[in-house]
Amino acid sequence: MTLPFDLARARRETRGCEGVTHFNNAGAALPPAPVADALYGYLRQEELEGGYEVMERRHGELEHFYAAAATLLGCDPAEIAFADSATRAWNAAFYALDLRPGDRILAGSAEYGSSLAALLHRQHQLGVEIVWLPDDARGQTDVAALASLIDARTKLIFLTQVPSGNGLVNPAAAVGRVAKDAGIPYLLDACQALGQLPVNVDEIGCDLLCGTGRKYLRAPRGTGLLYVRRSLLETLTPHELNHHAAFLVGTHRYRLRPDARRFECWERSYAGQLALGVAIDYALAWGLDAIAGRIVELAAELRRQLSALDGVTVADRGAQQCGIVTFHAAKTSAETLQRQLAERGINLSTVPASANPVFTQRHPQPPLLRASLHYYNSREEIGRFIDELRKLLG
Ligand SMILES: Cc1ncc(COP(=O)(O)O)c(C=O)c1O
């Protein structure tokens, strides 16, 4: 028997709920009070004591981030690196791969724009070939097609588990089984998945994973993480080094750190790192299964109510769907509606048609509105949002 979700507590611990209806969790979620307080408290101590001194005094708590992230992902703390964004984490992994002209990368069709730019950069720089994987009839990555496309030149499989511009969840674990059978490194963008659904690196079978703090994990902006499977670590050469990523052992010699922190920089927001650890603990305390269950239920309710509105089309695809709900209205642009709703205290974002040219070419669609729900959102908020939207659409 599952316990009822303690919504009252979730909202009490989310101070932002008092002032706004926040359906932009795929942009940046409202941090819960314990996370925000950890951040402010640490910054206050830096102000009063000095940044290096606080870092030393609170060393153990700062280290806890690695243990918390390892618990979240089901890996070893030595396989975790702190990053200031998912993009930085993704780039650190991607640019460390030993790719040669003619190598093939198999990538999903709904990748994030900054990854797309980096893929194209490597294509132009190195002459690697990028193959965009087909989608199946439900709109998610076609796993059978992936298996048939693998050949001797394939050096990387790349997938975004939850695309930022559609409500679908890609079959990350099925892709992992194909990657493992073929012995090909598998890089997973779990940016929208962390904190929204359970993500276990062994169950999924990915070798590299990037995530961000500010979205479903509810951590501050400027935080993220990278996971590197231990067995892959020695095959990767960090694209850039510093005196934290490598030890200086002579006038002409250095030695790389033995763990994933070889992808880090020494300087960072330590307040952010501390707060990311607190945010992960907070998510784990709610339980990722409970969180996912609550979010899926709310999003299904929102899709149902949106579909019943005249002239509104829900654009979400996929056999499995998540808290991201995308839609468009026949007579009013996404941009206009977003602005009008913001004026009424309801935060949404838009998905421009230019966000991902690969996806848009395959699935032509107008610019979309994106309502991304978290467990602290309520049915009352959904009701108010639908009422406002109905009024705006006349
Ligand atoms: C699927 C996905 N991947 C990667 C990113 C990039 O994350 P960050 O802005 O932390 O670099 C985003 C951000 O929206 C995203 O939605």
Side-chain angles (χ1 to χ4, degrees):
M1 192 190 81
T2 52
L3 292 171
F5 200 89
D6 191 348
L7 178 64
R9 185 185 142 207
R11 291 182 70 77
R12 207 168 47 241
E13 293 180 356
T14 306
R15 293 188 283 252
C17 283
E18 285 171 27
V20 78
T21 293
H22 193 68
F23 288 177
N24 193 12
N25 294 288
L30 299 177
V35 173
D37 290 344
L39 180 79
Y40 307 147
Y42 190 96
L43 287 174
R44 174 54 59 92
Q45 287 171 0
E46 284 191 342
E47 178 196 351
L48 298 178
E49 290 174 46
Y52 286 28
E53 290 70 18
V54 181
M55 181 178 73
E56 199 167 316
R57 185 167 63 72
R58 301 190 66 179
H59 174 76
E61 289 165 89
L62 289 166
E63 278 296 298
H64 177 70
F65 152 72
Y66 298 95
T71 305
L72 179 74
L73 298 176
C75 67
D76 191 278
E79 296 175 305
I80 297 291
F82 177 81
D84 57 15
S85 69
T87 299
R88 271 264 217 246
W90 193 90
N91 281 346
F94 178 62
Y95 282 89
L97 290 160
D98 181 20
L99 296 171
R100 308 278 167 90
D103 286 349
R104 262 183 147 189
I105 298 171
L106 304 182
S109 72
E111 310 307 355
Y112 186 64
S114 71
S115 318
L116 239 110
L119 285 165
L120 298 179
H121 180 228
R122 282 315 239 180
Q123 183 180 38
H124 292 299
Q125 213 179 29
L126 292 179
V128 297
E129 185 197 359
I130 299 160
V131 177
W132 306 111
L133 293 167
D135 300 321
D136 68 15
R138 308 295 298 268
Q140 63 203 13
T141 298
D142 187 331
V143 182
L146 162 70
S148 72
L149 280 164
I150 289 177
D151 63 9
R153 291 186 298 138
T154 307
K155 294 292 154 54
L156 178 69
I157 294 170
F158 167 43
L159 184 75
T160 293
Q161 189 173 8
V162 174
S164 55
N166 199 271
L168 67 86
V169 181
N170 268 316
V175 167
R177 286 190 285 277
V178 174
K180 194 166 183 192
D181 285 350
I184 294 168
Y186 174 22
L187 166 57
L188 185 71
D189 175 345
C191 197
Q192 296 286 2
L194 295 190
Q196 174 168 199
L197 37 111
V199 175
N200 179 293
V201 290
D202 285 339
E203 281 166 21
I204 290 175
C206 58
D207 302 298
L208 299 157
L209 174 150
C210 74
T212 206
R214 72 179 183 282
K215 298 180 188 292
Y216 280 89
L217 279 174
R218 310 183 67 194
R221 298 196 67 171
T223 62
L225 61 84
L226 173 66
Y227 156 78
V228 182
R229 190 174 288 282
R230 193 190 293 277
S231 56
L232 208 71
L233 192 69
E234 292 306 327
T235 68
L236 301 172
T237 309
H239 176 62
E240 47 187 54
L241 283 185
N242 57 70
H243 69 327
H244 167 83
F247 305 116
L248 301 171
V249 291
T251 51
H252 287 85
R253 287 193 308 127
Y254 65 87
R255 199 175 61 245
L256 286 175
R257 287 185 64 114
D259 53 26
R261 297 189 207 187
R262 64 175 58 177
F263 293 104
E264 290 182 346
C265 220
W266 182 76
E267 179 54 4
R268 66 191 75 170
S269 164
Y270 285 94
Q273 175 176 327
L274 180 94
L276 177 54
V278 173
I280 294 172
D281 285 347
Y282 190 78
L284 289 169
W286 281 100
L288 270 305
D289 283 317
I291 289 174
R294 162 96 188 148
I295 291 175
V296 164
E297 215 176 271
L298 277 182
E301 175 64 24
L302 177 56
R303 283 189 198 97
R304 196 184 60 69
Q305 295 202 33
L306 280 169
S307 305
L309 288 181
D310 244 9
V312 171
T313 308
V314 174
D316 297 330
R317 307 167 64 87
Q320 187 189 342
Q321 297 186 325
C322 66
I324 295 177
V325 178
T326 59
F327 61 98
H328 55 91
K331 294 198 185 117
T332 317
S333 77
E335 210 180 312
T336 303
L337 281 175
Q338 183 204 19
R339 184 174 41 73
Q340 292 171 327
L341 287 162
E343 286 162 6
R344 287 155 179 79
I346 302 173
N347 296 343
L348 271 81
S349 63
T350 58
V351 184
S354 60
N356 178 332
V358 181
F359 191 82
T360 311
Q361 192 188 51
R362 286 197 185 161
H363 312 290
Q365 62 189 15
L368 304 175
L369 270 161
R370 181 182 73 180
S372 45
L373 306 183
H374 216 319
Y375 59 81
Y376 60 79
N377 290 128
S378 66
R379 285 174 195 279
E380 289 70 26
E381 285 179 310
I382 292 180
R384 192 168 88 77
F385 162 65
I386 292 288
D387 285 348
E388 293 293 349
L389 191 59
R390 190 182 288 111
K391 278 188 246 164
L392 289 170
L393 296 175

